[in-house]
Amino acid sequence: MKSPRWLLSVCCGLLISLGQTGLSLAADMAVKTFDEDQAANKDCVGCHINVTPGIVKQHLDSPHANTKKFEDEVRCHDCHGVEHKTMEDFAKSEMPTAETCGECHKKQLKQHKAGKHNLGWMVMKSQIAWHGQPGAITEKGYRGCSGCHKIGQKGLMGVTDGNTEAELKYDGGKEASGYRYGNAQCDACHTRHSFRKSEAKDPRACSNCHMGFDHPQWEMYTSSKHGVVWGIEGHLEEERAPTCQTCHLMEGNHEVRTPWGFLGLRIPTKENVLAIIEVAPSLKEPLTTLAAALPSGNYIDVDDDPQWTLDRALILQAAGVLDASFQPTERFVEIVVQAQAARGPEEFNELRTQMKANCNKCHSMGFVNQHFKASDEIVKAADHEFAKAISAVQGLYKDGLLQKPEGWKYAPDLLQYYDAKTKIEQELYLIMLEYRQRTFQGAFHVSNDYMHWYGWAPLKTAVNTILEEEKRMRAEHE
Ligand code: HEC
Ligand code: HEC
Ligand code: HEC
Ligand code: HEC
Ligand code: HEC
Ligand code: HEC
Ligand code: HEC
Ligand code: HEC
C-alpha cells in the first residue's frame, strides 16, 4: 500500500537528513504549525528509514499514516514527542502510554480503564506468590507474569502497596516512570506500528496471553465447535461462528469483564451466608458477623444451596481471603474489592443477562439457558470436590501433623502457589490453578476435552491422592 504520501514522507525526509548529517532541522520548540509538524515528521521518518526500517514501513502502511483526511495523519512525534532529534539523544524520546492513545481515542480509553484489563498489573502484584519471587522473575523485562500483566496500568495501589483503604489509589505515574518500555497497554491487541482494528478482531490476538496452564481459553476455543467453524470459515465477511471478541468485546466495547471471572467465585450474599447457619449451627456467631458485611440479593440462574456456599467459603479461607473464623482479611479488600476478582449479585446478573442476549443472536434462549445451567452446575461439582481436599489439609494443620511455615500468615495458603512446602499442598495448588479452572472454563467455552480430561479427571485424581495421603500421614502419626 504505497500511497504517494508514503513516498513524499520518505523522500523529503531522506533529503533533509542527508543535508544535515543527522542534525535536525526542526526548531528547538514544540511543534505548532502544520508545516513544522510535517518537517518534524520527515526528520523522524527520514532518519528512521535507515535506523529502524521495519518500524517506518509498518507505520507508513498503517491506518495512522493513511487517514481519510490528510490533516488527521498521525506521525511519529504524536506518540514519541519531539525532544529527540539526533543519532545520540534518543533517550529523550517518549514512550507512549494508554493516555497518549486516548488523546485521540477517548471512548476506547474510557472503556478500557473501566474494565478488568486495566487492573492486570495490580492483580499480579496482589499475589503473595509474586512477592516471594527472586528479582529475575519479577523485575523489568516482561518475561513472565509481567509480560502478560502489563496490559494493566502500573501504579494502581492496593493493600500490598500500603494503601489500606477499600478504594483503589493511583500513584500519579511514579511506578510507570521506572519502566522505559511496556506502558502502552493498548498495544496488547493493536500491536505497533500497524495499530489495526482487523488484527485486534482476530481471536489469535488474545492467544499469547489467554492460553496455557491456568486459563487455556485459546485451546478451549479452538477445540470447541465455535473455534472449529471459525478455523474453517473464519475469514469470511459474515462470521457464522463467534470469536472471543464477539462474546467479550460486544459492539466493540473495550470493558472486558465476565460474570464468574477468572477464579470462578462470587461474593456470597447475606442470604447465602445466613442459610449456612442451618446446616452448620456451630458457626452461627462468625457467620452472622460476616453476613452483616455482605451485599443482599440473589444470583440469577445459579442454583445456590447452603452446602455450595460453605464449600466456597472453605475455598476463600484456603486462599486467605477469609480468616479462620470466616471474617474478611486484607486479601479480601485487595483481591476481591479493589482488584474486583469476584462479582456481587447486581453485576453478575447484569453481565450474565448481556452475555445470554448475545448468544441469543444465533441460538434459541432455551438452548442458551440450558448451556449456562449445565456449566454453573460444573462449578458447583468442582467446588464440592475441592472443598473436601481443603478440609483434609486444614485438619492436618489443626491436629499438628502439618506446621505453619515460617513467615506465612495463613496455612494452608493456596496463594503461595508452587512455593507450597508439602506434596499434599502442591496437589491442592494444582487443583486451584489448573484443574478446577479448566473444568469450569472448559464447560463455559464448550470444550468437552478441557472440561473433562484436562479438568475434572485430574481434579478427581488429585482429590483422591490428597485424601489417601491424609490417611497415610495420620496412620504414621499414631
Ligand atoms: C538523525 C537520526 C534520527 C532522527 C532525526 C530521529 N531519530 Fe529516533 N532514533 C535514532 C537512533 C540512532 C535511535 C536508536 C536506535 C537503536 O538503538 O537501534 C533512535 C531511537 C528512537 C526511539 C526508541 C528509543 C528507545 O529508547 O528505544 C524512538 C521512539 C524514536 N527514535 C523516535 C523518533 C522520533 C519520534 C523522531 C522524530 C521526532 C526521531 N526518532 C528522530 C535516530 C534518529
Ligand atoms: C494524534 C491522534 C492519534 C493518536 C495519538 C493515536 N491515534 Fe489511533 N487513530 C487516529 C486516527 C486519525 C485514526 C484513523 C481514523 C480514520 O480512519 O480516518 C486512528 C485509527 C486507529 C485504529 C483503527 C485502525 C483501523 O484498522 O481502522 C486503531 C486500532 C488505533 N488508531 C489505535 C491507536 C493506538 C493503540 C494508539 C496509541 C498507541 C493510537 N491509536 C494513537 C488518531 C490517533
Ligand atoms: C501467559 C500470560 C500470563 C502469565 C505468564 C501470567 N498470567 Fe496471570 N493472568 C493471565 C490472564 C490471561 C488472566 C485472566 C484469565 C481469566 O480471566 O481466565 C490472568 C489472571 C490472573 C489473576 C486473576 C485476576 C482476577 O481478577 O481474577 C491473577 C491474580 C494473576 N493472573 C496473577 C499472575 C501471577 C502472579 C503470575 C506469575 C506468577 C501470572 N499471573 C502469570 C495471563 C498471565
Ligand atoms: C500511534 C502511536 C505511535 C506512532 C505514530 C509511532 N509509534 Fe513508535 N511506538 C509506539 C508504541 C506503543 C511503542 C511501544 C512502547 C513501549 O513498549 O513502551 C513504540 C515503540 C517504538 C520504538 C522502540 C521499541 C521498538 O520496538 O524498537 C521505536 C524505535 C519507535 N517506536 C519508533 C517510531 C517511529 C520511527 C515512528 C514513526 C515512523 C513511530 N514510532 C510512530 C507508538 C507509536
Ligand atoms: C483486549 C484487546 C484490546 C485492547 C487491549 C484494546 N483494544 Fe481497541 N479494539 C479491540 C477490538 C477487538 C476492536 C474491534 C472492535 C469492533 O469493531 O468490533 C478494537 C477497535 C479499536 C478501535 C477502532 C474503533 C472503530 O470502530 O473504528 C480503536 C480506535 C481502538 N480499538 C483503540 C484502542 C485504544 C486506544 C486502546 C487502549 C486504551 C485499545 N484499543 C485497547 C481490542 C482491543
Ligand atoms: C497482553 C496479554 C493479554 C491479551 C493480549 C489479552 N488479555 Fe485478556 N486478560 C489479560 C490479563 C492479565 C487479564 C486479567 C486482568 C485482571 O484480572 O485484572 C485478562 C482478563 C480478561 C478478561 C476478564 C475475565 C474476568 O475476570 O472477568 C476477559 C474477558 C479477557 N481478558 C478477554 C480478552 C480478549 C477477548 C482478548 C483478545 C481480544 C484479550 N483478553 C487479550 C491479558 C491479556
Ligand atoms: C460463544 C461465546 C464465547 C467465545 C467465543 C469465547 N468466550 Fe470466553 N467466555 C464465554 C462465557 C459464556 C464465559 C463464562 C461467563 C460467565 O462467567 O458466566 C466466558 C469466560 C471467559 C473468561 C473468564 C474465565 C473463564 O474462562 O471462565 C475469559 C478470560 C474468557 N472467557 C476469554 C476468552 C477468550 C480469550 C476467547 C477466545 C480464545 C473466548 N473467551 C471465547 C463465552 C465465550
Ligand atoms: C455468531 C453466532 C453464534 C453465537 C453468538 C454463539 N454461537 Fe454457539 N454455535 C454457533 C454455531 C454456528 C455452532 C455450530 C452449530 C452446530 O453444532 O451444529 C454453535 C454451537 C454451539 C454449541 C454446541 C457445540 C456442540 O459441540 O454441539 C453450544 C453449546 C453453543 N454454541 C453455545 C453458545 C453459547 C452459550 C453462546 C453465547 C455465550 C453462543 N453459543 C454464541 C454460533 C454461535
Side-chain angles (χ1 to χ4, degrees), residues 101 105 108-109 117 186 189-190 197 200-201 245 249 252 254:
C101 313
H105 302 298
Q108 286 81 10
L109 177 70
H117 276 143
C186 312
C189 302
H190 310 282
K197 182 164 137 175
K201 286 184 84 162
Q245 291 82 349
L249 282 98
H254 281 56

Side-chain angles (χ1 to χ4, degrees), residues 22 43-44 47-48 51 76 80 84-85 87 90 93 180-181:
D43 284 351
C44 313
C47 189
H48 272 270
V51 176
C76 310
H80 295 295
H84 142 63
K85 294 167 182 145
M87 293 293 282
F90 51 83
S93 63
R180 171 79 171 141
Y181 306 104

Side-chain angles (χ1 to χ4, degrees), residues 49-325:
I49 192 76
N50 297 315
V51 176
T52 54
I55 289 178
V56 171
K57 170 135 185 40
Q58 289 161 29
H59 170 72
L60 293 176
D61 280 348
S62 78
H64 278 146
N66 297 281
T67 47
K68 285 173 215 108
K69 284 194 258 155
F70 189 58
E71 314 83 85
D72 289 344
E73 184 176 326
V74 185
R75 308 192 172 88
C76 310
H77 61 75
D78 286 320
C79 295
H80 295 295
V82 291
E83 291 303 312
H84 142 63
K85 294 167 182 145
T86 70
M87 293 293 282
E88 288 79 33
D89 69 356
F90 51 83
K92 287 189 189 163
S93 63
E94 289 164 24
M95 288 296 153
T97 63
E99 278 71 22
T100 316
C101 313
E103 280 166 26
C104 306
H105 302 298
K106 289 200 173 55
K107 188 170 110 192
Q108 286 81 10
L109 177 70
K110 193 163 173 246
Q111 292 170 343
H112 176 85
K113 290 284 171 197
K116 201 69 182 83
H117 276 143
N118 198 49
L119 294 166
W121 190 261
M122 191 254 163
V123 298
M124 173 188 78
K125 289 183 64 183
S126 75
Q127 299 299 294
I128 186 88
W130 186 84
H131 288 273
Q133 307 289 334
I137 306 295
T138 54
E139 278 161 18
K140 306 164 214 189
Y142 306 115
R143 291 288 67 93
C145 317
S146 57
C148 300
H149 282 267
K150 73 179 162 62
I151 195 171
Q153 184 177 11
K154 297 193 188 72
L156 293 179
M157 298 196 334
V159 172
T160 42
D161 290 318
N163 165 38
T164 50
E165 285 157 42
E167 208 154 293
L168 204 56
K169 295 216 156 53
Y170 177 56
D171 73 358
K174 218 167 113 206
E175 184 181 13
S177 68
Y179 293 81
R180 171 79 171 141
Y181 306 104
N183 295 314
Q185 298 184 264
C186 312
D187 61 350
C189 302
H190 310 282
T191 61
R192 62 186 187 268
H193 278 86
S194 69
F195 301 110
R196 278 178 207 285
K197 182 164 137 175
S198 54
E199 178 188 341
K201 286 184 84 162
D202 191 305
R204 286 171 291 191
C206 320
S207 70
N208 61 317
C209 301
H210 287 274
M211 54 84 66
F213 181 68
D214 51 341
H215 34 65
Q217 283 101 9
W218 169 249
E219 294 90 326
M220 297 184 298
Y221 171 69
T222 47
S223 59
S224 75
K225 214 63 192 164
H226 288 144
V228 169
V229 175
W230 170 80
I232 297 169
E233 303 180 2
H235 301 287
L236 302 180
E237 270 296 300
E238 265 306 304
E239 281 175 6
R240 189 162 67 94
T243 59
C244 319
Q245 291 82 349
T246 318
C247 296
H248 296 297
L249 282 98
M250 292 170 222
E251 268 97 54
N253 186 349
H254 281 56
E255 185 183 339
V256 296
R257 220 178 260 280
T258 62
W260 277 103
F262 172 57
L263 296 171
L265 290 170
R266 285 168 288 137
I267 300 179
T269 62
K270 208 181 280 300
E271 292 80 359
N272 288 160
V273 170
L274 292 175
I276 314 182
I277 299 173
E278 282 162 41
V279 287
S282 64
L283 297 173
K284 182 168 181 192
E285 213 187 294
L287 290 178
T288 312
T289 320
L290 175 62
L294 294 170
S296 186
N298 283 308
Y299 288 96
I300 54 164
D301 293 344
V302 185
D303 178 22
D304 262 321
D305 63 33
Q307 182 59 51
W308 191 8
T309 313
L310 190 58
D311 291 339
R312 284 190 285 131
L314 285 186
I315 297 173
L316 292 173
Q317 210 173 42
V321 167
L322 295 178
D323 68 13
S325 51

